């Protein structure tokens, strides 16, 4: 199974030479009226939008983009190791296309990039568990894939984009992104990526990190007091203290902000209900922490105040918004909802990742015109999905240029995650 983290690299959206890549990967050995690499890629891009991804449907789609029709069986023979190598090469080439240098709003500040990472899992029929294993349940094996994505909040530049087995833990996947961290970066991590050793590795690279505190991680305050005991007795709304975290005894800064009564009550009710369903008593540590928003960081108080940290971490939702827009615009669930061979299903997932790459580049171009905080990823991805279905080849798809008025966010008083995160750093 393809598993790789691909670094960023070269200029704004130019398609690779698909014919050259097809020859190198032996997807095409000699030219044929029935098969064209560009038409093949565009057929896959269209199929992950419509969800019509059987071999019959793919052959029908391809027929409209080439000079002569290809039989279903012939297309079946084309989708194998060579097609996987072709799609991986296209994706790698797109990953190596570096954006033109952008003037950072933090040009004079210490933070040069804000790296946000998240993953999205896609379920498959359990009949594909041998090729695409997921975590099993009491009903037997399950199947699925995980797509991991990291990008720079400030410039929109993609840092990594990788396909992983669904059984791979986020904290394991996150090790690859650490290799891309540079001096002056700020890495935002969700609890699934929490790893104290990796935070130390980030510090060694001259960078900063910010994360939420998982329930399973023990914390002692620098005065040797218990965090939970201190939270229970504290009457204020904000704590900003030195802390010693985990079995490693890592020293860092802990920030605690009291949650609203409504949020705290909802969290505790959910915890109690889950414990009741399992026939257990709710975790007392969890009940105390449910009343607070808890973060850890190596940023000092001089570098970022509590309100700044809250706004910066809220920006992590930006990548989740993009994943949600991507999933809503594509129909990858239906496309993968079939028993098939590994290369067929992998081709569909890789096509979905290529569509994501194209969308992110278009988003950056439009965001430079209207302001990234005003850009609606949901609207942009929906329009791009229509374009991917209609286009006869990838060149038509990459020429997609929507009216900026049609991809702007609806007006609202609350700042977007992107805007609040950037403003907090300026």
């Amino acid at each position: 199974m393809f598993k790789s983290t691909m670094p960023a690299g070269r200029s704004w959206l130019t398609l690779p030479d698909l014919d050259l890549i097809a020859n190198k990967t032996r997807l095409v050995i000699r030219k044929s009226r029935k098969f064209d690499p560009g038409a093949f890629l565009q057929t896959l891009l269209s199929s992950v939008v419509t969800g019509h991804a059987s071999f019959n449907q793919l052959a029908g789609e391809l027929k409209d983009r080439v000079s002569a029709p290809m039989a279903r069986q012939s297309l079946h023979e084309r989708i194998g190791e060579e097609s996987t190598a072709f799609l991986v090469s296209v994706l790698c080439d797109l990953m190596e296309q570096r954006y033109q240098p952008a003037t950072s709003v933090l040009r004079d500040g210490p933070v040069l990039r804000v790296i946000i990472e998240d993953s999205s899992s896609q379920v498959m029929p359990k009949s594909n568990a041998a090729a695409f294993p997921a975590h099993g349940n009491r009903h037997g094996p399950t199947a699925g894939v995980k797509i991991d994505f990291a990008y720079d909040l400030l410039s929109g530049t993609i840092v990594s984009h990788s396909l992983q087995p669904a059984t791979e833990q986020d904290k394991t996947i996150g090790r690859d992104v650490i290799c891309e961290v540079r001096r002056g970066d700020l890495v935002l991590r969700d609890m699934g990526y929490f790893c104290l050793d990796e935070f130390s590795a980030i510090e060694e690279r001259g960078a900063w990190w910010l994360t939420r505190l998982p329930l399973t991680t023990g914390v002692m305050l620098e005065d040797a007091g218990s965090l939970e005991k201190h939270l229970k007795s504290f009457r204020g709304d904000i704590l900003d203290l030195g802390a010693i975290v985990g079995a490693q005894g890592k020293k860092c800064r802990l920030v605690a902000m009291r949650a609203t009564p409504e949020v705290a009550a909802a969290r505790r009710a959910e915890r109690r209900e889950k414990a009741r369903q399992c026939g257990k008593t709710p975790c007392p540590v969890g009940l105390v922490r449910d009343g607070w928003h808890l973060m850890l960081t190596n940023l000092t108080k001089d570098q970022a105040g509590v309100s700044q940290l809250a706004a910066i971490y809220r920006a992590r939702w930006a990548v989740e918004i993009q994943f949600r827009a991507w999933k809503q615009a594509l129909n990858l669930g239906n496309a993968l909802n079939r028993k098939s061979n590994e290369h067929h299903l992998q081709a569909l997932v890789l096509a979905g990742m290529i569509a994501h790459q194209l969308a992110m580049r278009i988003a950056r171009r439009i965001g430079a015109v209207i302001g990234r905080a005003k850009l609606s990823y949901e609207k942009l991805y929906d329009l791009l999905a229509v374009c991917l279905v209609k286009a006869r080849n990838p060149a038509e798809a990459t020429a997609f240029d929507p009216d900026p008025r049609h991809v702007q966010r609806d007006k609202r008083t609350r700042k977007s995650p992107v805007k609040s995160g950037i403003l907090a750093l300026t």
Side-chain angles (χ1 to χ4, degrees), residues 18-299:
L18 298 179
D19 291 326
L20 179 62
I21 293 176
N23 288 330
K24 285 184 176 180
T25 58
R26 299 188 66 79
L27 177 66
V28 172
I29 297 176
R30 60 179 181 274
K31 288 188 176 181
S32 168
R33 296 170 55 244
K34 298 181 179 180
F35 188 87
D36 175 78
F40 174 65
L41 175 58
Q42 187 57 41
T43 295
L44 290 173
L45 290 172
S46 177
S47 71
V48 296
V49 173
T50 62
H52 301 156
S54 69
F55 282 108
N56 272 337
Q57 291 164 333
L58 290 174
E61 278 278 325
L62 183 62
K63 174 178 68 70
D64 296 332
R65 294 183 168 91
V66 293
S67 303
M70 172 178 278
R72 171 194 175 281
Q73 184 60 35
S74 298
L75 182 60
H76 185 281
E77 293 171 359
R78 288 272 188 170
I79 298 181
E81 292 183 1
E82 293 79 10
S83 64
T84 299
F86 169 75
L87 293 168
V88 168
S89 295
V90 172
L91 188 60
C92 287
D93 195 287
L94 288 172
M95 280 298 304
E96 290 172 358
Q97 292 184 24
R98 182 175 300 158
Y99 300 107
Q100 295 293 341
T103 301
S104 172
V105 295
L106 305 176
R107 180 176 52 219
D108 299 324
V111 177
L112 303 179
R113 296 193 302 176
V114 178
I115 298 177
I116 304 175
E117 182 179 10
D118 201 6
S119 65
S120 179
S121 297
Q122 184 62 59
V123 176
M124 291 181 180
K126 62 181 181 181
S127 54
N128 298 300
F132 297 92
H135 294 288
N137 55 32
R138 58 185 176 182
H139 301 294
T142 57
V145 297
K146 182 178 286 188
I147 297 168
D148 190 78
F149 177 62
Y151 85 117
D152 172 23
L153 174 77
L154 302 182
S155 68
T157 305
I158 297 170
V159 175
S160 73
H161 204 173
S162 62
L163 171 62
Q164 309 283 349
T167 51
E168 197 74 82
Q169 291 186 343
D170 286 347
K171 65 174 63 178
T172 303
I173 299 171
R175 294 172 188 164
D176 295 330
V177 174
I178 301 302
C179 299
E180 303 297 327
V181 172
R182 304 195 295 254
R183 179 175 294 276
D185 287 350
L186 170 59
V187 182
L188 303 190
R189 280 280 164 97
D190 198 15
M191 290 188 288
Y193 294 89
F194 188 93
C195 180
L196 293 175
D197 290 338
E198 289 179 16
F199 296 146
S200 296
I202 291 171
E203 293 170 4
E204 290 171 2
R205 290 173 174 264
W208 297 278
W209 53 271
L210 174 63
T211 179
R212 285 194 295 164
L213 174 63
L215 176 62
T216 54
T217 301
V219 176
M220 294 293 291
L221 303 181
E222 283 189 335
D223 62 1
S226 162
L227 171 63
E228 287 70 38
K229 184 177 180 180
H230 195 76
L231 293 176
K232 287 173 70 175
S233 62
F234 187 69
R235 294 292 174 255
D237 293 329
I238 295 176
L239 276 170
D240 191 350
L241 304 167
I244 301 172
V245 182
Q248 298 95 318
K250 182 171 181 59
K251 293 184 178 181
C252 56
R253 176 184 174 194
L254 180 139
V255 171
M257 295 170 288
R258 190 181 295 276
T260 63
E262 295 78 14
V263 170
R267 287 176 176 177
R268 287 167 178 153
E270 182 180 2
R271 187 177 301 280
R272 290 188 175 102
E273 177 58 22
K274 286 183 178 179
R276 185 192 65 79
Q277 291 176 358
C278 298
K280 299 179 180 178
T281 56
C283 172
V285 172
L287 291 174
V288 173
R289 292 190 183 184
D290 284 339
W292 297 83
H293 303 291
L294 301 168
M295 294 186 293
L296 298 174
T297 185
N298 67 329
L299 286 165

Side-chain angles (χ1 to χ4, degrees), residues 274-331:
K274 286 183 178 179
R276 185 192 65 79
Q277 291 176 358
C278 298
K280 299 179 180 178
T281 56
C283 172
V285 172
L287 291 174
V288 173
R289 292 190 183 184
D290 284 339
W292 297 83
H293 303 291
L294 301 168
M295 294 186 293
L296 298 174
T297 185
N298 67 329
L299 286 165
T300 66
K301 295 180 182 180
D302 292 337
Q303 291 169 334
V306 173
S307 60
Q308 287 176 292
L309 292 177
I312 292 167
Y313 193 83
R314 181 170 171 261
R316 220 199 68 79
W317 286 98
V319 72
E320 299 195 19
I321 291 170
Q322 291 169 24
F323 263 135
R324 183 182 65 195
W326 175 71
K327 279 191 165 184
Q328 289 174 348
L330 299 188
N331 213 342

Side-chain angles (χ1 to χ4, degrees), residues 347-368:
L348 298 174
V349 176
L350 289 168
M353 292 170 69
I354 289 171
H356 193 196
Q357 291 278 330
L358 298 178
M360 285 297 293
R361 281 156 174 72
I362 294 167
R364 185 178 186 278
R365 186 182 67 187
I366 296 175

